[in-house]
């Protein structure tokens, strides 16, 4: 990244990286530098992980053909990251973290509900990515004969967790530099991986996979959306807030979407071809999504593969732990940002230990996690998108921190909409692989969709329903509230005490 591309301002190459002082506070105009194209780096670096290859096997798990899986993947990835692009516009219009900008729709303290949900989702994602990096390292070491048991897993977990936590604690400056390096290294090594295993693709086997039903196609589509862009929408403005307010909105949307989509789309296509060529590989991915990909590699490339796998997963985990710390502060925890990131890191390590050493079925729990939290996040996303579409002015920075300001404290309408959309959504999703989620799907029977064992049971309609209900409800009920907010005169800048709210 050149100095002209640096969204934080001018830096000399030798300038030491310091712990970011910013938390929930507004980024001042003097610190807002760069252009929308700088958003390519964090979004590409966070999504270039070889985990994208494993989504090919995940898609075939819905019982669909290659062409159906390809269509579901392309639509799911592009549409879901386009939602991230739209929400990223809020960052340059408000210069605060995503879950602070959300206060304009939910009120200052009413926003604590979606902040807690956002925090759980990001901590969950960083835990999943850390666990996968640990398992992949152990698999590689096992194949090399260097040991792949408990000791290897412990050492790998320590290294991966250290990289992730340090990046999250140090903050935006280090993250941007780290993501640039990850982008180059993982991009090159991923291309080498593709070249080495290309001869394992057998089109005859791929094309012979029978087509699935429309319900199975929709299920795969929603899974792709929750696994990619819907897992990032709650952090989409955390990086665009460093751009000048006069930055192009189209540029913000375009570069965010392009940067996030580029790698997953290519990896998905190749992952589908690999998984469709080998049922054994496809099944192995369910237990160890990254490590299974090493079984078709020559021994000499195992170490480079471990590097690309770990760096790619760390790239995503670092962005998650940074945003999870901001979400925790927005939920009301009165500590500095770096301490919030440390707390999230401790929870991440504990969760990773459970997945690596105690959990049995990874894929079932993973799908259950994505679908269950995908419903309330989709509801929040619908409200946030509609609220943003209704606004004609930039956010008032000061009132984002004042319970008695124009955005209010505990407005009932967005909270009730979120709860109603979430309740409807959970009633339309199921996941039998995760025993703790068997209570879901309670609307499938009453609505004539075949119940928990019918054709629509695994279509995951609840995610789309929550998104649509919240979006349309806000457009219908929120217009007057937004107009009243924008009719008020600008407030004073927030003081230090207000920022802690």
């Amino acid at each position: 990244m050149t100095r002209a591309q640096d969204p934080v301002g001018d830096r000399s190459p030798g300038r030491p990286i310091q712990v970011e002082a910013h938390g929930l506070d507004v980024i001042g105009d003097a610190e807002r530098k760069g252009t929308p194209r700088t958003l390519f780096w964090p979004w590409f670096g966070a999504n270039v992980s070889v985990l994208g290859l494993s989504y090919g096997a995940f898609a075939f798990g819905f019982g669909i053909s290659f062409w159906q899986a390809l269509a579901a993947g392309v639509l799911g990835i592009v549409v879901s990251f386009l939602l991230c692009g739209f929400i990223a516009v809020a960052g340059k219009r408000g210069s605060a973290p995503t879950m602070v900008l959300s206060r304009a729709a939910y009120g200052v303290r009413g926003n604590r509900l979606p902040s807690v949900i956002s925090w759980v989702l990001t901590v969950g994602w960083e835990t999943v990515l850390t666990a996968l990096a640990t398992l992949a390292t152990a698999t590689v070491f096992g194949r090399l004969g260097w040991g792949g048991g408990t000791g290897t897993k412990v050492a790998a977990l320590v290294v991966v967790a250290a990289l992730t936590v340090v990046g999250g604690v140090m903050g935006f400056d280090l993250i941007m530099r780290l993501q640039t390096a990850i982008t180059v290294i993982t991009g090159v090594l991923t291309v080498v991986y593709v070249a080495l295993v290309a001869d394992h693709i057998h089109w005859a086997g791929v094309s012979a996979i029978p087509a699935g039903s429309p319900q199975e196609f929709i299920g795969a589509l929603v899974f792709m959306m929750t696994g990619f862009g819907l897992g990032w929408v709650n952090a989409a403005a955390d990086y665009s807030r460093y751009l000048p307010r006069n930055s192009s909105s189209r540029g913000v949307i375009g570069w965010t979407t392009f940067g996030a989509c580029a790698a997953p789309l290519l990896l998905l296509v190749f992952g589908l071809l690999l998984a469709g060529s080998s049922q054994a590989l496809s099944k192995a991915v369910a237990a160890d999504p990254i490590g299974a990909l090493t079984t078709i590699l020559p021994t000499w490339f195992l170490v480079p593969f471990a590097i690309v796998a770990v760096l790619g997963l760390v790239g995503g985990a670092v962005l998650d732990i940074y945003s999870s710390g901001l979400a925790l502060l927005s939920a009301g925890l009165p500590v500095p940002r770096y301490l919030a990131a440390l707390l999230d890191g401790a929870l991440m390590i504990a969760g990773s230990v459970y997945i690596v050493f105690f959990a049995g079925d990874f894929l079932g729990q993973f799908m259950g996690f994505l679908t269950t939290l995908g419903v309330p996040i989709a509801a929040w996303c619908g409200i946030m998108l509609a609220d943003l579409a209704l606004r004609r002015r930039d956010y008032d920075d000061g009132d984002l921190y004042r319970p008695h300001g124009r955005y209010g404290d505990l407005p009932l309408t967005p909270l009730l909409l979120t709860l109603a959309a979430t309740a409807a959504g959970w009633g339309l999703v199921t996941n039998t692989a995760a025993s703790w989620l068997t209570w879901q799907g309670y609307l499938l029977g009453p609505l004539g969709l075949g119940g928990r064992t019918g054709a629509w049971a695994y279509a995951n309609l609840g995610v789309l329903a929550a998104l649509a209900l919240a979006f349309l409800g806000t457009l219908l009920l929120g217009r007057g509230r937004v107009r009243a907010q924008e009719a008020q005169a600008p407030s004073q800048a927030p003081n230090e005490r207000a920022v802690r709210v």
Side-chain angles (χ1 to χ4, degrees):
M1 183 181 295
T2 66
R3 290 181 64 192
Q5 292 173 313
D6 190 345
V8 193
D10 294 334
R11 289 185 175 90
S12 61
R15 180 184 183 275
I17 297 176
Q18 300 175 342
V19 175
E20 181 186 357
H22 291 298
L24 298 186
D25 52 317
V26 171
I27 305 301
D29 289 340
E31 296 181 81
R32 298 178 65 143
K33 304 292 183 181
T35 62
R37 70 176 179 272
T38 59
L39 295 173
F40 174 86
W41 297 106
W43 287 107
F44 186 91
N47 291 283
V48 72
S49 166
V50 291
L51 178 61
L53 293 169
S54 300
Y55 273 84
F58 297 161
F60 283 131
F62 285 88
I64 56 179
S65 69
F66 168 80
W67 293 111
Q68 286 178 312
L70 180 62
V74 171
L75 283 174
I77 291 170
V78 173
V79 171
S80 63
F81 278 124
L82 188 60
L83 299 181
C84 289
F86 288 137
I87 292 180
V89 172
K92 69 102 176 180
R93 291 176 63 178
S95 69
T98 312
M99 297 315 297
V100 170
L101 298 171
S102 177
R103 293 174 176 178
Y106 282 89
V108 174
R109 286 191 291 183
N111 189 63
R112 290 182 179 180
L113 173 63
S115 292
V116 169
I117 297 171
S118 173
W119 174 69
V120 174
L121 179 65
T122 47
V123 170
W125 262 113
E126 67 203 41
T127 300
V128 166
L129 296 176
T130 300
L132 288 177
T134 302
L135 291 171
T137 303
T139 300
V140 168
F141 275 53
R143 281 204 60 198
L144 289 170
W146 299 347
T150 302
T152 301
K153 292 177 180 177
V154 170
L157 179 57
V158 170
V159 172
V160 172
L163 289 172
T164 303
V165 172
V166 168
V169 169
M170 294 299 293
F172 185 85
D173 190 358
L174 178 59
I175 288 173
M176 293 299 289
R177 300 189 192 188
L178 182 64
Q179 294 297 70
T180 304
I182 287 175
T183 296
V184 175
I185 296 172
T186 55
V188 171
L189 292 180
T190 299
V191 170
V192 176
Y193 175 87
V194 169
L196 289 175
V197 301
D199 60 342
H200 288 269
I201 294 174
H202 306 290
W203 178 247
V206 175
S207 60
I209 299 175
S213 66
Q215 294 91 335
E216 291 168 331
F217 171 80
I218 294 173
L221 169 65
V222 175
F223 178 75
M224 291 294 177
M225 291 180 66
T226 55
F228 287 98
L230 278 179
W232 287 108
V233 287
N234 53 312
D238 290 353
Y239 305 95
S240 55
R241 66 181 177 136
Y242 285 89
L243 294 176
R245 291 181 187 269
N246 61 359
S247 298
S248 166
S249 294
R250 290 185 179 181
V252 170
I253 295 170
W255 282 105
T256 297
T257 306
F258 174 61
C261 286
L265 287 173
L266 295 174
L267 292 170
L268 173 71
V269 172
F270 198 74
L272 286 170
L273 293 172
L274 283 177
S277 301
S278 171
Q279 289 188 353
L281 176 63
S282 188
K283 291 180 180 179
V285 165
D288 186 359
I290 306 297
L293 299 174
T294 67
T295 59
I296 54 177
L297 277 175
T299 303
W300 67 266
F301 192 69
L302 288 176
V303 171
F305 177 82
I307 294 173
V308 69
V310 169
L311 286 180
L313 294 167
V314 166
V318 165
L319 261 66
D320 276 320
I321 198 171
Y322 178 76
S323 293
S324 69
L326 293 174
L328 189 55
L329 296 181
S330 182
L333 185 68
V335 299
R337 183 202 60 79
Y338 67 88
L339 286 182
L342 281 174
L343 174 60
D344 289 349
L347 294 174
M348 175 194 74
I349 293 171
S352 299
V353 168
Y354 170 75
I355 293 176
V356 171
F357 298 103
F358 300 103
D361 175 22
F362 172 82
L363 182 56
Q365 305 296 326
F366 179 55
M367 292 178 68
F369 164 75
L370 287 182
T371 303
T372 299
L373 286 183
V375 170
I377 285 296
W380 171 87
C381 182
I383 289 177
M384 187 70 175
L385 288 172
D387 182 83
L388 185 62
L390 290 172
R391 297 189 181 277
R392 298 294 178 265
R393 298 182 179 179
D394 290 346
Y395 295 99
D396 185 280
D397 294 340
D399 279 351
L400 288 171
Y401 302 90
R402 298 188 182 100
H404 301 294
R406 75 190 64 207
Y407 301 123
D409 193 15
L410 289 166
L412 289 179
T413 300
L415 293 172
L416 292 177
L417 267 177
T418 301
L419 294 176
T422 299
W426 279 340
L428 294 172
V429 298
T430 61
N431 192 302
T432 56
S435 59
W436 52 284
L437 297 174
T438 54
W439 54 270
Q440 295 177 346
Y442 45 78
L443 293 179
L444 292 170
L447 294 179
L449 298 174
R452 292 185 175 93
T453 58
W456 289 97
Y458 302 103
N460 293 327
L461 288 176
V463 176
L464 299 179
L467 178 65
L469 287 172
F471 180 80
L472 294 175
T474 303
L475 285 182
L476 180 64
L477 303 173
R479 188 177 303 273
R481 181 169 176 263
V482 171
R483 292 293 171 265
Q485 292 172 356
E486 295 191 332
Q488 299 182 37
S491 68
Q492 295 180 349
N495 57 37
E496 183 178 354
R497 180 180 179 276
V499 168
R500 297 197 185 101
V501 174

